[in-house]
Every structure is written in C-alpha cells, then in structure tokens.
Amino acid sequence: LKIAVLVSGGGTNLQAVMDAIDDQTITNTKIEVVISNNKNAYALERAAKKGIPNLCISPKDFADRAEFNRVFLEKLNSYHVDLVVLAGFLVVIPPEMIAEYKNKIINIHPSLIPSFCGTGYYGLKVHEGVLERGVKVTGATVHFVDEGTDTGPIILQKAVEVQSDDTPEILQRRVMEEAEWKILPQAIDLIANDRVVVEDHKTRIR
Ligand code: GRF
C-alpha cells in the first residue's frame, strides 16, 4: 500500500506509523510522501530523518483557496498513492480531493466520535471539552474522510479513561499514547491487507 501522510504539527502520529512499518506492525506499506501546510512542522523533520520525501504546501502561498486546492491535489496525485492518512492535518480537505479519493482518506481524531468532534474540536480543544463535560471515558477514532468534518465511516476506536486530576495536556498525552498511536497503525495495516469493507456508511472488518 502506497501512502501519503498529511501533517501540520509535531508528527507523533506520523512517527507511530513510521515505527510500525519498521517493526512490521504495519505490513505491505510504504510512505511515499509526507506533506505539511506548516513549514515549521517537526513532522517534516521526522520524515527527513527517515529519508522520506517531504514537502510543505501552504494556503498562505497562494492567491486564494481554489488555487491552493488545485496545486495541492496536483502535487498529491503525482505520488500515485493508494491511501492518504491525515495525522493532525489542520487544513480543510478540498472537496475535489474527497471525490477523487473516496474511501481512500483516513483521519485520526482524539475522541470517541460522534462525541467532541466537528468544527472547533481539534487538538487540545477536544480534551478541554471532555474535561468540561466531565465524561469518564474518552478515546480516539480512525475514520474515512467524507464531505463532512469527522463524519465519515468509523474504522477503529479505542477507549481511554479520564482521571480526576487530568489537565487537557495530560489527557491529550494519554489519548495519544494509549489510543492514537495504536489504532492509526492498526487501521493502516487492515487497509493494506484489504480487510476493511465499507457498507452503507459503516465499515466491516473481515
Ligand atoms: C493530535 O492531537 C491528534 O490527536 C490530532 O492532531 C494532533 C496531531 O498530533 N490528530 P501529531 O502531529 O501527530 O503529534
């Protein structure tokens, strides 16, 4: 499976995927390219250290969003990947890209969708919402990306306990360590081995 990983920040999910490929937790998979919208994303350094092609394409570099969308998609298409992995990518995916890569884009979201998701819920804001609401269990979700925000078919989820003295930062770290860095590699391996079937906006693992 040839994959592109789209990142915006620290790249700990990218690192988990690279490590999982190295230790064969993920089989039959190669990261063809890492693309970021943020030239300072440490994720790009992580890719460079592994000798993985990486580049930055930012909406800021274009006259308007339509131009960015066009160039972004053209660049991505040049790598001929089978799967696009959003790992903390904070740019809205162009509608044209959703259409061209139907059920070929996956995203990791740091909550148990449909809770604490949708516009406004990203990064620490997700965990602030979890603590504010006082839920006892949170977690992470890997899902296919469709036209909505965090609304595509769910592939894998993993629950994480909320502890009474959690701060958003402590909770974010636990959700990453205990859930994100596990289910994102797992989902990629399932897809690489053709074990995820999409039926009626839901998935079945075979
Ligand atoms: C994390 O909060 C993750 O839950 C979400 O975006 C952030 C990405 O972190 N997908 P990193 O860049 O993978 O470290």
Side-chain angles (χ1 to χ4, degrees):
L1 186 77
K2 296 166 71 172
I3 70 174
V5 184
L6 307 190
V7 296
S8 296
T12 63
N13 278 287
L14 167 67
Q15 190 65 50
V17 172
M18 293 191 300
D19 294 347
I21 289 172
D22 285 351
D23 70 21
Q24 284 299 299
T25 304
I26 298 177
T27 56
N28 309 320
T29 297
K30 181 168 182 277
I31 302 176
E32 297 295 326
V33 64
V34 172
I35 304 177
S36 179
N37 63 305
N38 167 11
K39 65 181 182 319
N40 302 315
Y42 186 63
L44 290 172
E45 286 207 29
R46 292 179 190 268
K49 279 198 187 113
K50 299 288 280 190
I52 295 172
N54 60 93
L55 63 132
C56 174
I57 310 180
S58 168
K60 286 183 230 150
D61 301 335
F62 296 88
D64 56 39
R65 183 50 65 99
E67 183 57 14
F68 165 80
N69 287 353
R70 191 183 65 73
V71 171
F72 186 81
L73 188 52
E74 195 178 274
K75 193 73 191 159
L76 175 65
N77 287 343
S78 71
Y79 289 92
H80 305 291
V81 297
D82 307 303
L83 183 72
V84 178
V85 179
L86 307 186
F89 191 60
L90 295 177
V91 172
V92 173
I93 302 297
E96 311 89 325
M97 187 172 142
I98 304 279
E100 276 188 43
Y101 287 81
K102 184 167 175 49
N103 291 333
K104 291 187 172 185
I105 307 173
I106 64 173
N107 181 48
I108 173 83
H109 181 77
S111 77
L112 295 176
I113 286 176
S115 295
F116 306 102
C117 69
T119 48
Y121 277 117
Y122 56 87
L124 266 184
K125 291 187 184 316
V126 174
H127 307 292
E128 287 164 1
V130 162
L131 293 173
E132 172 58 31
R133 181 66 185 82
V135 298
K136 302 305 177 183
V137 175
T138 186
T141 303
V142 180
H143 62 94
F144 283 112
V145 173
D146 65 8
E147 303 68 25
T149 303
D150 303 325
T151 54
I154 290 170
I155 301 168
L156 291 177
Q157 295 190 301
K158 187 163 177 42
V160 173
E161 266 185 20
V162 182
Q163 290 172 14
S164 53
D165 53 353
D166 273 344
T167 63
E169 292 78 6
I170 292 171
L171 183 55
Q172 177 177 53
R173 193 79 195 164
R174 188 179 314 117
V175 169
M176 283 180 166
E177 286 172 353
E178 295 183 10
E180 296 178 44
W181 301 344
K182 293 196 166 94
I183 62 175
L184 185 57
Q186 216 179 327
I188 293 169
D189 185 59
L190 287 172
I191 293 168
N193 293 285
D194 195 24
R195 293 186 51 203
V196 182
V197 180
V198 180
E199 290 161 341
D200 173 33
H201 212 72
K202 291 182 277 298
T203 70
R204 177 170 56 82
I205 310 295
R206 59 182 169 197

